[in-house]
PDB file of all heavy atoms in Angstrom:
ATOM      1  N   GLU A 193     -49.689   1.539   2.342  1.00 89.00           N
ATOM      2  CA  GLU A 193     -50.760   1.833   1.421  1.00 89.00           C
ATOM      3  C   GLU A 193     -50.165   2.113   0.007  1.00 89.00           C
ATOM      4  O   GLU A 193     -49.406   3.066  -0.229  1.00 89.00           O
ATOM      5  CB  GLU A 193     -51.534   3.068   1.881  1.00 89.00           C
ATOM      6  CG  GLU A 193     -52.679   3.449   0.990  1.00 89.00           C
ATOM      7  CD  GLU A 193     -53.405   4.676   1.440  1.00 89.00           C
ATOM      8  OE1 GLU A 193     -53.680   4.724   2.634  1.00 89.00           O
ATOM      9  OE2 GLU A 193     -53.684   5.602   0.618  1.00 89.00           O
ATOM     10  N   ALA A 194     -50.392   1.229  -0.963  1.00 94.00           N
ATOM     11  CA  ALA A 194     -49.852   1.258  -2.256  1.00 94.00           C
ATOM     12  C   ALA A 194     -50.313   2.529  -2.953  1.00 94.00           C
ATOM     13  O   ALA A 194     -51.374   2.940  -2.892  1.00 94.00           O
ATOM     14  CB  ALA A 194     -50.128  -0.012  -3.091  1.00 94.00           C
ATOM     15  N   PRO A 195     -49.338   3.094  -3.824  1.00 97.00           N
ATOM     16  CA  PRO A 195     -49.784   4.256  -4.701  1.00 97.00           C
ATOM     17  C   PRO A 195     -50.802   3.799  -5.719  1.00 97.00           C
ATOM     18  O   PRO A 195     -51.007   2.585  -5.854  1.00 97.00           O
ATOM     19  CB  PRO A 195     -48.473   4.650  -5.292  1.00 97.00           C
ATOM     20  CG  PRO A 195     -47.338   4.102  -4.445  1.00 97.00           C
ATOM     21  CD  PRO A 195     -47.953   2.806  -3.836  1.00 97.00           C
ATOM     22  N   PRO A 196     -51.370   4.705  -6.409  1.00 97.00           N
ATOM     23  CA  PRO A 196     -52.313   4.302  -7.499  1.00 97.00           C
ATOM     24  C   PRO A 196     -51.615   3.325  -8.475  1.00 97.00           C
ATOM     25  O   PRO A 196     -50.357   3.600  -8.762  1.00 97.00           O
ATOM     26  CB  PRO A 196     -52.719   5.661  -8.189  1.00 97.00           C
ATOM     27  CG  PRO A 196     -52.549   6.645  -7.046  1.00 97.00           C
ATOM     28  CD  PRO A 196     -51.383   6.141  -6.249  1.00 97.00           C
ATOM     29  N   LEU A 197     -52.369   2.449  -8.999  1.00 97.00           N
ATOM     30  CA  LEU A 197     -51.727   1.368  -9.872  1.00 97.00           C
ATOM     31  C   LEU A 197     -50.956   1.961 -10.980  1.00 97.00           C
ATOM     32  O   LEU A 197     -49.854   1.575 -11.397  1.00 97.00           O
ATOM     33  CB  LEU A 197     -52.785   0.420 -10.357  1.00 97.00           C
ATOM     34  CG  LEU A 197     -52.330  -0.703 -11.318  1.00 97.00           C
ATOM     35  CD1 LEU A 197     -51.235  -1.580 -10.587  1.00 97.00           C
ATOM     36  CD2 LEU A 197     -53.490  -1.567 -11.823  1.00 97.00           C
ATOM     37  N   ARG A 198     -51.544   2.875 -11.731  1.00 97.00           N
ATOM     38  CA  ARG A 198     -50.870   3.479 -12.912  1.00 97.00           C
ATOM     39  C   ARG A 198     -49.605   4.130 -12.558  1.00 97.00           C
ATOM     40  O   ARG A 198     -48.609   4.109 -13.298  1.00 97.00           O
ATOM     41  CB  ARG A 198     -51.816   4.451 -13.661  1.00 97.00           C
ATOM     42  CG  ARG A 198     -52.793   3.743 -14.595  1.00 97.00           C
ATOM     43  CD  ARG A 198     -53.513   4.711 -15.500  1.00 97.00           C
ATOM     44  NE  ARG A 198     -54.340   4.040 -16.526  1.00 97.00           N
ATOM     45  CZ  ARG A 198     -53.874   3.685 -17.690  1.00 97.00           C
ATOM     46  NH1 ARG A 198     -52.646   4.016 -18.108  1.00 97.00           N
ATOM     47  NH2 ARG A 198     -54.704   3.154 -18.563  1.00 97.00           N
ATOM     48  N   GLU A 199     -49.548   4.723 -11.437  1.00 97.00           N
ATOM     49  CA  GLU A 199     -48.314   5.359 -10.936  1.00 97.00           C
ATOM     50  C   GLU A 199     -47.227   4.309 -10.632  1.00 97.00           C
ATOM     51  O   GLU A 199     -46.103   4.489 -11.042  1.00 97.00           O
ATOM     52  CB  GLU A 199     -48.547   6.255  -9.707  1.00 97.00           C
ATOM     53  CG  GLU A 199     -47.395   7.106  -9.382  1.00 97.00           C
ATOM     54  CD  GLU A 199     -47.714   8.315  -8.541  1.00 97.00           C
ATOM     55  OE1 GLU A 199     -48.933   8.599  -8.336  1.00 97.00           O
ATOM     56  OE2 GLU A 199     -46.826   8.995  -8.071  1.00 97.00           O
ATOM     57  N   CYS A 200     -47.635   3.174 -10.088  1.00 98.00           N
ATOM     58  CA  CYS A 200     -46.771   2.090  -9.864  1.00 98.00           C
ATOM     59  C   CYS A 200     -46.165   1.530 -11.216  1.00 98.00           C
ATOM     60  O   CYS A 200     -44.987   1.264 -11.400  1.00 98.00           O
ATOM     61  CB  CYS A 200     -47.391   0.951  -9.109  1.00 98.00           C
ATOM     62  SG  CYS A 200     -47.771   1.345  -7.427  1.00 98.00           S
ATOM     63  N   LEU A 201     -47.095   1.366 -12.156  1.00 98.00           N
ATOM     64  CA  LEU A 201     -46.702   0.798 -13.502  1.00 98.00           C
ATOM     65  C   LEU A 201     -45.779   1.742 -14.252  1.00 98.00           C
ATOM     66  O   LEU A 201     -44.831   1.289 -14.866  1.00 98.00           O
ATOM     67  CB  LEU A 201     -47.955   0.426 -14.308  1.00 98.00           C
ATOM     68  CG  LEU A 201     -48.863  -0.618 -13.690  1.00 98.00           C
ATOM     69  CD1 LEU A 201     -50.024  -0.934 -14.647  1.00 98.00           C
ATOM     70  CD2 LEU A 201     -48.112  -1.825 -13.244  1.00 98.00           C
ATOM     71  N   HIS A 202     -46.074   3.001 -14.171  1.00 97.00           N
ATOM     72  CA  HIS A 202     -45.140   4.005 -14.850  1.00 97.00           C
ATOM     73  C   HIS A 202     -43.807   3.970 -14.135  1.00 97.00           C
ATOM     74  O   HIS A 202     -42.831   4.129 -14.830  1.00 97.00           O
ATOM     75  CB  HIS A 202     -45.729   5.430 -14.692  1.00 97.00           C
ATOM     76  CG  HIS A 202     -46.741   5.761 -15.776  1.00 97.00           C
ATOM     77  ND1 HIS A 202     -46.391   6.044 -17.074  1.00 97.00           N
ATOM     78  CD2 HIS A 202     -48.120   5.803 -15.704  1.00 97.00           C
ATOM     79  CE1 HIS A 202     -47.463   6.263 -17.807  1.00 97.00           C
ATOM     80  NE2 HIS A 202     -48.535   6.197 -17.015  1.00 97.00           N
ATOM     81  N   ASN A 203     -43.814   3.711 -12.835  1.00 97.00           N
ATOM     82  CA  ASN A 203     -42.498   3.688 -12.112  1.00 97.00           C
ATOM     83  C   ASN A 203     -41.626   2.508 -12.609  1.00 97.00           C
ATOM     84  O   ASN A 203     -40.418   2.582 -12.612  1.00 97.00           O
ATOM     85  CB  ASN A 203     -42.822   3.514 -10.599  1.00 97.00           C
ATOM     86  CG  ASN A 203     -41.623   3.858  -9.700  1.00 97.00           C
ATOM     87  OD1 ASN A 203     -41.434   3.309  -8.695  1.00 97.00           O
ATOM     88  ND2 ASN A 203     -40.941   4.903 -10.071  1.00 97.00           N
ATOM     89  N   LEU A 204     -42.259   1.432 -13.091  1.00 97.00           N
ATOM     90  CA  LEU A 204     -41.526   0.286 -13.589  1.00 97.00           C
ATOM     91  C   LEU A 204     -40.998   0.392 -14.995  1.00 97.00           C
ATOM     92  O   LEU A 204     -40.373  -0.542 -15.484  1.00 97.00           O
ATOM     93  CB  LEU A 204     -42.425  -0.986 -13.456  1.00 97.00           C
ATOM     94  CG  LEU A 204     -42.844  -1.405 -12.048  1.00 97.00           C
ATOM     95  CD1 LEU A 204     -43.748  -2.639 -12.115  1.00 97.00           C
ATOM     96  CD2 LEU A 204     -41.640  -1.660 -11.204  1.00 97.00           C
ATOM     97  N   THR A 205     -41.238   1.538 -15.615  1.00 96.00           N
ATOM     98  CA  THR A 205     -40.715   1.738 -17.001  1.00 96.00           C
ATOM     99  C   THR A 205     -39.283   2.181 -17.012  1.00 96.00           C
ATOM    100  O   THR A 205     -38.690   2.202 -18.063  1.00 96.00           O
ATOM    101  CB  THR A 205     -41.524   2.742 -17.748  1.00 96.00           C
ATOM    102  OG1 THR A 205     -41.425   4.078 -17.092  1.00 96.00           O
ATOM    103  CG2 THR A 205     -43.084   2.454 -17.714  1.00 96.00           C
ATOM    104  N   LEU A 206     -38.717   2.505 -15.884  1.00 93.00           N
ATOM    105  CA  LEU A 206     -37.492   3.283 -15.843  1.00 93.00           C
ATOM    106  C   LEU A 206     -36.216   2.421 -15.785  1.00 93.00           C
ATOM    107  O   LEU A 206     -35.096   2.860 -16.251  1.00 93.00           O
ATOM    108  CB  LEU A 206     -37.431   4.304 -14.630  1.00 93.00           C
ATOM    109  CG  LEU A 206     -38.604   5.255 -14.553  1.00 93.00           C
ATOM    110  CD1 LEU A 206     -38.462   6.019 -13.329  1.00 93.00           C
ATOM    111  CD2 LEU A 206     -38.655   6.108 -15.802  1.00 93.00           C
ATOM    112  N   TYR A 207     -36.282   1.243 -15.229  1.00 95.00           N
ATOM    113  CA  TYR A 207     -35.051   0.509 -14.877  1.00 95.00           C
ATOM    114  C   TYR A 207     -34.408  -0.290 -15.983  1.00 95.00           C
ATOM    115  O   TYR A 207     -33.174  -0.607 -15.926  1.00 95.00           O
ATOM    116  CB  TYR A 207     -35.280  -0.354 -13.589  1.00 95.00           C
ATOM    117  CG  TYR A 207     -36.005  -1.644 -13.922  1.00 95.00           C
ATOM    118  CD1 TYR A 207     -35.254  -2.796 -14.229  1.00 95.00           C
ATOM    119  CD2 TYR A 207     -37.418  -1.703 -14.036  1.00 95.00           C
ATOM    120  CE1 TYR A 207     -35.932  -4.008 -14.482  1.00 95.00           C
ATOM    121  CE2 TYR A 207     -38.083  -2.842 -14.334  1.00 95.00           C
ATOM    122  CZ  TYR A 207     -37.313  -4.052 -14.526  1.00 95.00           C
ATOM    123  OH  TYR A 207     -37.951  -5.157 -14.846  1.00 95.00           O
ATOM    124  N   TRP A 208     -35.148  -0.679 -17.089  1.00 94.00           N
ATOM    125  CA  TRP A 208     -34.589  -1.504 -18.082  1.00 94.00           C
ATOM    126  C   TRP A 208     -35.420  -1.462 -19.325  1.00 94.00           C
ATOM    127  O   TRP A 208     -36.553  -0.967 -19.275  1.00 94.00           O
ATOM    128  CB  TRP A 208     -34.418  -2.911 -17.575  1.00 94.00           C
ATOM    129  CG  TRP A 208     -33.613  -3.884 -18.419  1.00 94.00           C
ATOM    130  CD1 TRP A 208     -33.931  -5.121 -18.910  1.00 94.00           C
ATOM    131  CD2 TRP A 208     -32.270  -3.616 -18.853  1.00 94.00           C
ATOM    132  NE1 TRP A 208     -32.825  -5.639 -19.569  1.00 94.00           N
ATOM    133  CE2 TRP A 208     -31.767  -4.724 -19.600  1.00 94.00           C
ATOM    134  CE3 TRP A 208     -31.364  -2.553 -18.742  1.00 94.00           C
ATOM    135  CZ2 TRP A 208     -30.609  -4.880 -20.174  1.00 94.00           C
ATOM    136  CZ3 TRP A 208     -30.067  -2.683 -19.266  1.00 94.00           C
ATOM    137  CH2 TRP A 208     -29.682  -3.811 -19.979  1.00 94.00           C
ATOM    138  N   ASP A 209     -34.857  -2.051 -20.442  1.00 95.00           N
ATOM    139  CA  ASP A 209     -35.549  -2.149 -21.734  1.00 95.00           C
ATOM    140  C   ASP A 209     -36.439  -3.359 -21.793  1.00 95.00           C
ATOM    141  O   ASP A 209     -36.375  -4.316 -21.021  1.00 95.00           O
ATOM    142  CB  ASP A 209     -34.550  -2.289 -22.803  1.00 95.00           C
ATOM    143  CG  ASP A 209     -33.622  -1.030 -22.878  1.00 95.00           C
ATOM    144  OD1 ASP A 209     -34.068   0.103 -22.685  1.00 95.00           O
ATOM    145  OD2 ASP A 209     -32.438  -1.169 -23.128  1.00 95.00           O
ATOM    146  N   LEU A 210     -37.379  -3.285 -22.697  1.00 96.00           N
ATOM    147  CA  LEU A 210     -38.196  -4.442 -23.011  1.00 96.00           C
ATOM    148  C   LEU A 210     -37.379  -5.641 -23.411  1.00 96.00           C
ATOM    149  O   LEU A 210     -36.564  -5.507 -24.316  1.00 96.00           O
ATOM    150  CB  LEU A 210     -39.280  -4.153 -24.036  1.00 96.00           C
ATOM    151  CG  LEU A 210     -40.605  -3.462 -23.606  1.00 96.00           C
ATOM    152  CD1 LEU A 210     -41.428  -3.071 -24.873  1.00 96.00           C
ATOM    153  CD2 LEU A 210     -41.368  -4.383 -22.642  1.00 96.00           C
ATOM    154  N   SER A 211     -37.560  -6.785 -22.744  1.00 97.00           N
ATOM    155  CA  SER A 211     -36.702  -7.901 -22.936  1.00 97.00           C
ATOM    156  C   SER A 211     -37.346  -9.048 -22.301  1.00 97.00           C
ATOM    157  O   SER A 211     -38.309  -8.955 -21.527  1.00 97.00           O
ATOM    158  CB  SER A 211     -35.319  -7.713 -22.328  1.00 97.00           C
ATOM    159  OG  SER A 211     -35.403  -7.499 -20.963  1.00 97.00           O
ATOM    160  N   PRO A 212     -36.851 -10.348 -22.505  1.00 97.00           N
ATOM    161  CA  PRO A 212     -37.396 -11.502 -21.742  1.00 97.00           C
ATOM    162  C   PRO A 212     -37.279 -11.280 -20.272  1.00 97.00           C
ATOM    163  O   PRO A 212     -38.161 -11.642 -19.469  1.00 97.00           O
ATOM    164  CB  PRO A 212     -36.501 -12.646 -22.189  1.00 97.00           C
ATOM    165  CG  PRO A 212     -36.084 -12.228 -23.655  1.00 97.00           C
ATOM    166  CD  PRO A 212     -35.881 -10.740 -23.562  1.00 97.00           C
ATOM    167  N   MET A 213     -36.212 -10.614 -19.804  1.00 98.00           N
ATOM    168  CA  MET A 213     -36.025 -10.461 -18.407  1.00 98.00           C
ATOM    169  C   MET A 213     -37.020  -9.411 -17.861  1.00 98.00           C
ATOM    170  O   MET A 213     -37.686  -9.600 -16.750  1.00 98.00           O
ATOM    171  CB  MET A 213     -34.615  -9.993 -18.037  1.00 98.00           C
ATOM    172  CG  MET A 213     -34.411  -9.785 -16.543  1.00 98.00           C
ATOM    173  SD  MET A 213     -32.632  -9.388 -16.168  1.00 98.00           S
ATOM    174  CE  MET A 213     -32.724  -9.379 -14.378  1.00 98.00           C
TER     175      MET A 213
END
Side-chain angles (χ1 to χ4, degrees):
E193 180 181 314
L197 178 60
R198 278 190 172 269
E199 191 157 351
C200 293
L201 300 185
H202 277 286
N203 200 216
L204 295 178
T205 63
L206 304 176
Y207 77 94
W208 193 233
D209 299 320
L210 275 174
S211 63
M213 184 174 181

